[in-house]
Coordinates of all heavy atoms in Angstrom, one line a residue:
T4 N 1.8 238.7 179.6 CA 1.1 238.7 181.0 C -0.4 238.6 180.8 O -0.9 238.9 179.8 CB 1.6 240.1 181.7 OG1 0.9 241.2 181.0 CG2 3.0 240.3 181.8
D5 N -0.9 238.3 182.0 CA -2.4 238.1 182.1 C -3.0 239.5 181.8 O -4.1 239.5 181.2 CB -2.8 237.7 183.5 CG -2.5 236.2 183.6 OD1 -1.6 235.7 183.0 OD2 -3.0 235.5 184.7
N6 N -2.4 240.6 182.3 CA -3.0 241.9 182.1 C -2.9 242.3 180.6 O -3.8 243.1 180.3 CB -2.2 242.9 182.9 CG -2.4 242.7 184.4 OD1 -3.4 242.3 184.8 ND2 -1.5 243.1 185.2
K7 N -2.1 241.7 179.9 CA -2.1 242.2 178.4 C -3.2 241.4 177.6 O -3.7 241.8 176.7 CB -0.7 241.8 177.8 CG 0.4 242.7 178.3 CD 0.4 244.1 177.6 CE 1.6 244.9 178.1 NZ 2.9 244.2 177.7
I8 N -3.5 240.1 178.1 CA -4.5 239.3 177.5 C -5.9 239.6 177.9 O -6.8 239.6 177.1 CB -4.2 237.8 177.6 CG1 -2.7 237.3 177.1 CG2 -5.4 237.0 177.2 CD1 -2.8 237.6 175.6
K9 N -6.2 240.0 179.1 CA -7.5 240.2 179.7 C -8.2 241.2 178.9 O -9.5 240.9 178.7 CB -7.3 240.7 181.1 CG -8.7 240.6 181.9 CD -8.6 240.6 183.3 CE -9.9 240.3 184.1 NZ -9.8 240.4 185.5
P10 N -7.8 242.4 178.4 CA -8.6 243.3 177.6 C -9.0 242.6 176.3 O -10.0 243.1 175.7 CB -7.6 244.5 177.3 CG -6.6 244.4 178.5 CD -6.4 243.0 178.7
L11 N -8.2 241.6 175.7 CA -8.7 240.9 174.6 C -9.7 239.8 174.9 O -10.2 239.1 173.9 CB -7.4 240.4 173.9 CG -6.4 241.4 173.5 CD1 -5.2 240.8 172.9 CD2 -6.9 242.5 172.7
A12 N -9.9 239.5 176.1 CA -10.7 238.2 176.5 C -12.1 238.5 176.6 O -12.7 238.5 177.8 CB -10.0 237.6 177.8
T13 N -12.8 239.1 175.6 CA -14.1 239.5 175.6 C -14.9 238.5 175.0 O -16.2 238.8 174.9 CB -14.2 240.9 174.9 OG1 -13.9 240.7 173.5 CG2 -13.4 241.9 175.5
G14 N -14.5 237.5 174.4 CA -15.3 236.5 173.8 C -15.4 236.8 172.3 O -15.9 235.9 171.5
Q15 N -14.9 237.9 171.8 CA -15.0 238.3 170.5 C -13.9 237.6 169.6 O -12.8 237.2 170.1 CB -15.1 239.7 170.3 CG -13.7 240.5 170.4 CD -13.8 242.0 170.4 OE1 -14.2 242.6 171.5 NE2 -13.6 242.5 169.3
V16 N -14.1 237.6 168.3 CA -13.0 237.0 167.4 C -12.5 238.3 166.5 O -13.1 239.3 166.3 CB -13.6 236.0 166.4 CG1 -13.9 234.7 167.2 CG2 -14.8 236.4 165.6
W17 N -11.2 238.0 166.1 CA -10.6 238.9 165.1 C -10.2 238.2 163.8 O -10.0 237.1 163.9 CB -9.4 239.7 165.8 CG -9.7 240.6 166.8 CD1 -9.9 241.9 166.7 CD2 -9.9 240.3 168.2 NE1 -10.2 242.6 168.0 CE2 -10.2 241.5 169.0 CE3 -9.8 239.2 168.9 CZ2 -10.4 241.6 170.3 CZ3 -10.0 239.2 170.4 CH2 -10.3 240.4 170.9
T18 N -10.1 239.0 162.8 CA -9.5 238.4 161.5 C -8.0 238.3 161.7 O -7.4 238.9 162.7 CB -9.9 239.2 160.4 OG1 -9.2 240.6 160.4 CG2 -11.3 239.5 160.1
G19 N -7.5 237.4 160.8 CA -6.0 237.4 161.0 C -5.2 238.6 160.9 O -4.2 239.0 161.6
E20 N -5.9 239.5 160.0 CA -5.2 240.8 159.7 C -5.3 241.6 161.1 O -4.4 242.4 161.3 CB -6.0 241.6 158.5 CG -5.4 242.9 158.1 CD -6.1 243.5 157.1 OE1 -7.3 243.6 157.1 OE2 -5.4 243.9 155.9
Q21 N -6.5 241.6 161.7 CA -6.6 242.4 163.1 C -5.8 241.8 164.2 O -5.3 242.6 164.9 CB -8.1 242.4 163.3 CG -9.0 243.2 162.4 CD -10.5 243.0 162.7 OE1 -10.9 242.0 163.1 NE2 -11.2 244.1 162.5
A22 N -5.7 240.4 164.0 CA -5.1 239.8 165.2 C -3.5 239.9 165.3 O -3.0 239.9 166.3 CB -5.4 238.2 165.1
L23 N -2.9 240.2 164.0 CA -1.5 240.3 164.1 C -1.0 241.5 164.9 O -0.1 241.3 165.8 CB -0.9 240.4 162.6 CG 0.6 240.5 162.5 CD1 1.3 239.2 163.0 CD2 0.9 240.7 160.9
P24 N -1.4 242.7 164.8 CA -0.9 243.8 165.6 C -1.3 243.6 167.1 O -0.7 244.2 168.0 CB -1.7 245.0 165.1 CG -2.7 244.6 164.3 CD -2.4 243.2 163.8
L25 N -2.4 242.8 167.4 CA -2.9 242.6 168.8 C -1.8 241.6 169.4 O -2.1 241.3 170.7 CB -4.3 242.1 168.8 CG -5.3 243.1 168.4 CD1 -6.7 242.5 168.3 CD2 -5.3 244.3 169.3
G26 N -1.1 240.9 168.7 CA -0.2 240.0 169.2 C -0.8 238.5 169.4 O -0.3 237.7 170.1
L27 N -1.9 238.3 168.9 CA -2.7 237.1 168.9 C -2.2 235.9 168.0 O -2.3 234.8 168.3 CB -4.1 237.2 168.8 CG -4.8 237.9 169.9 CD1 -6.4 238.2 169.4 CD2 -4.8 237.3 171.3
I28 N -1.6 236.4 166.9 CA -0.9 235.5 165.9 C 0.6 236.1 165.7 O 0.9 237.2 166.1 CB -1.7 235.2 164.7 CG1 -1.7 236.6 163.9 CG2 -3.0 234.8 164.9 CD1 -2.3 236.4 162.5

């Protein structure tokens, strides 16, 4: 949902290791 992505939409990047638990990869 948009509400799940919006807190991650800060313009910052994450490493692959960090992105996995966030659901970005």
